């Protein structure tokens, strides 16, 4: 019995020790990952992002979306950054990703880091850190801790993006199932949907909600009547741009959930969150307890950023984010 107690004590100590250090026993990521190999990496990314965002406020929502699209396909391995080749159509060129932007931001940051610390900082870590800065700079969020140590993948397939990214017309059950496959709960799915509080969308993603929903000749009955009329004016074509949050479209906050409660969710995948008891409860909490949502959003972003990561001898550190090493 004494021996068993000693073993348990040692295990408890190790668990506590690694928790304090921020080391993940599951995949080897850790805080301050580059403190020996490239100690200024996170500071460089933070300073560059501050400068970039001060000149272009569209960057934060673009990188938050890019990070999500990367992590949901083959995990957070920067596969979304790879260009297509003559023999392979990459994720970047799949339908759901054609509207992604800000690849040049990641390339710019990568170039500076390669100058200071060649071959050290992965593109997947750059995207994750830059996304952290995007959340910080676009809302009243602290610069939360992010573990580093991701390696870059060498595979990027159009088919993966087509099958693994949840479409804007998904219903609540499809969303719950899709997020569960990535290890995320229904509550975390609702929390991460709050990222739609910032940025814009093409009218093609609305799936006719504002004018001819499911070929009925009428707007979606779950879409606010006045918003439907506004969208009909704004959507001159499928390529027209509309904001996703009618309250504070340039700020990462919880106003998105207030919009849902007023039937002002832009996508079917937004408004469907009110059709399930669990997800509706989460919407209500996020709407009326903004500090709770903010805390949960940070936690969910960190968790999403560690989906199926490559570490150690798996993957590589690309010299250029758009192509694998030769």
């Amino acid at each position: 019995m004494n021996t068993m107690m000693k073993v348990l004590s040692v295990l408890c100590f190790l668990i506590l020790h690694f928790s304090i250090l921020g080391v993940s026993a599951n995949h080897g990521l850790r805080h301050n990952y580059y403190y020996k190999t490239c100690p200024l990496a996170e500071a460089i990314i933070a300073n560059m992002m501050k400068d970039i965002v001060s000149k272009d406020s569209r960057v934060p929502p673009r990188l938050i979306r890019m990070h999500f699209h990367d992590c949901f396909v083959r995990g957070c391995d920067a596969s979304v950054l790879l260009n297509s080749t003559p023999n392979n159509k990459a994720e970047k060129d799949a339908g759901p990703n054609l509207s992604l932007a800000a690849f040049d931001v990641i390339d710019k940051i990568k170039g500076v880091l390669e100058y200071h610390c060649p071959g050290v900082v992965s593109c997947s870590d750059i995207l994750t850190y830059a996304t952290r800065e995007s959340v910080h700079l676009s809302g009243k969020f602290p610069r939360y801790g992010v573990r580093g140590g991701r390696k870059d993948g060498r595979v990027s397939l159009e088919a993966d993006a087509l099958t693994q990214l949840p479409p804007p017309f998904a219903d609540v059950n499809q969303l719950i199932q899709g997020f569960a496959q990535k290890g995320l709960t229904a509550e975390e799915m609702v929390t991460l949907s709050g990222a739609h509080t910032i940025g814009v969308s093409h009218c093609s993603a609305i799936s006719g909600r504002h004018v001819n929903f499911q070929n009925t000749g009428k707007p979606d009955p779950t879409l606010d009547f006045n918003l439907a009329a506004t969208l009909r004016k704004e959507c001159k074509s499928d390529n027209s741009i509309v904001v996703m949050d009618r309250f504070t479209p340039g700020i990462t906050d919880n106003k998105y959930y207030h919009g849902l409660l007023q039937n002002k969710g832009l996508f079917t995948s937004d408004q469907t969150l009110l059709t399930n008891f669990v997800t509706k409860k989460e919407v209500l909490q996020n709407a009326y307890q903004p500090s709770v949502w903010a805390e949960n959003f940070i936690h969910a972003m960190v968790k999403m950023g560690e989906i199926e990561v490559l570490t150690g001898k798996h993957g590589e550190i690309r010299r250029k984010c758009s192509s694998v090493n030769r």
Side-chain angles (χ1 to χ4, degrees):
M1 180 62 71
N2 289 338
T3 300
M4 180 61 70
M5 290 301 293
K6 289 180 180 179
V7 171
L8 290 174
S9 297
V10 171
L11 287 174
C12 288
F13 171 78
L14 288 173
I15 291 171
L16 177 61
H17 178 68
F18 283 114
S19 295
I20 292 172
L21 289 178
V23 176
S24 169
N26 291 329
H27 41 55
L29 300 182
R30 65 177 183 270
H31 291 290
N32 301 315
Y33 181 81
Y34 296 103
Y35 80 101
K36 287 185 177 180
T37 56
C38 191
L40 294 179
E42 291 190 52
I44 288 172
I45 294 170
N47 289 333
M48 290 188 68
M49 282 296 297
K50 185 177 181 180
D51 180 63
I52 290 168
V53 173
S54 71
K55 298 172 183 175
D56 190 349
S57 61
R58 299 172 300 175
V59 169
R62 288 174 171 178
L63 288 185
I64 292 171
R65 181 168 180 251
M66 184 189 295
H67 186 47
F68 169 75
H69 280 227
D70 181 46
C71 291
F72 259 60
V73 182
R74 309 189 72 86
C76 308
D77 66 346
S79 55
V80 75
L81 304 179
L82 288 172
N83 288 338
S84 293
T85 66
N87 299 318
N88 177 67
K89 192 171 183 179
E91 294 171 33
K92 183 186 290 187
D93 293 320
N97 288 334
L98 292 177
S99 57
L100 291 180
F103 292 103
D104 60 315
V105 171
I106 302 300
D107 290 338
K108 185 176 181 180
I109 295 173
K110 176 65 172 174
V112 172
L113 288 171
E114 282 296 298
Y115 174 80
H116 288 280
C117 315
V120 173
V121 185
S122 68
C123 298
S124 47
D125 271 350
I126 292 172
L127 178 54
T128 303
Y129 289 133
T131 299
R132 184 260 305 277
E133 298 305 319
S134 295
V135 173
H136 168 63
L137 293 168
S138 63
K140 296 179 180 180
F141 292 86
R143 183 176 284 107
Y144 53 90
V146 172
R147 288 188 274 249
R150 296 164 189 78
K151 293 293 178 63
D152 301 323
R154 295 179 56 84
V155 178
S156 183
L157 303 173
E158 175 196 26
D160 289 340
L162 294 174
T163 57
Q164 296 182 37
L165 290 171
F169 50 82
D171 63 33
V172 69
N173 293 323
Q174 292 172 315
L175 291 172
I176 291 174
Q177 181 179 4
F179 277 70
Q181 290 174 349
K182 303 300 177 181
L184 297 165
T185 67
E187 291 83 0
E188 288 166 336
M189 179 269 290
V190 176
T191 297
L192 288 169
S193 295
H196 286 175
T197 189
I198 186 172
V200 299
S201 171
H202 287 98
C203 289
S204 57
I206 301 175
S207 302
R209 292 189 71 216
H210 60 308
V211 59
N212 183 27
F213 183 62
Q214 295 182 351
N215 295 318
T216 61
K218 300 178 181 179
D220 185 341
T222 68
L223 179 64
D224 175 75
F225 178 82
N226 292 322
L227 178 55
T230 299
L231 290 171
R232 286 195 292 274
K233 294 178 182 178
E234 294 177 347
C235 290
K236 303 300 183 182
S237 71
D238 283 348
N239 290 324
S240 297
I241 299 295
V242 292
V243 297
M244 292 191 287
D245 176 357
R246 291 284 155 171
F247 299 95
T248 53
I251 302 174
T252 301
D253 58 20
N254 74 321
K255 294 298 189 292
Y256 161 84
Y257 300 100
H258 290 272
L260 296 187
L261 296 175
Q262 297 177 32
N263 288 341
K264 293 180 180 178
L266 185 63
F267 308 124
T268 298
S269 59
D270 292 321
Q271 209 58 48
T272 191
L273 300 180
L274 296 183
T275 64
N276 174 283
F277 174 79
V278 173
T279 57
K280 183 176 182 179
K281 180 181 177 181
E282 197 70 15
V283 168
L284 288 166
Q285 174 181 275
N286 291 340
Y288 296 112
Q289 299 184 50
S291 61
V292 173
W293 171 73
E295 182 178 345
N296 290 342
F297 185 68
I298 289 174
H299 173 80
M301 286 295 293
V302 170
K303 185 175 178 179
M304 184 188 76
E306 298 185 355
I307 294 175
E308 301 169 13
V309 295
L310 301 173
T311 59
K313 296 180 180 179
H314 301 285
E316 65 182 13
I317 296 174
R318 292 187 212 135
R319 289 185 290 272
K320 290 183 62 177
C321 290
S322 59
S323 60
V324 299
N325 296 338
R326 300 298 179 186

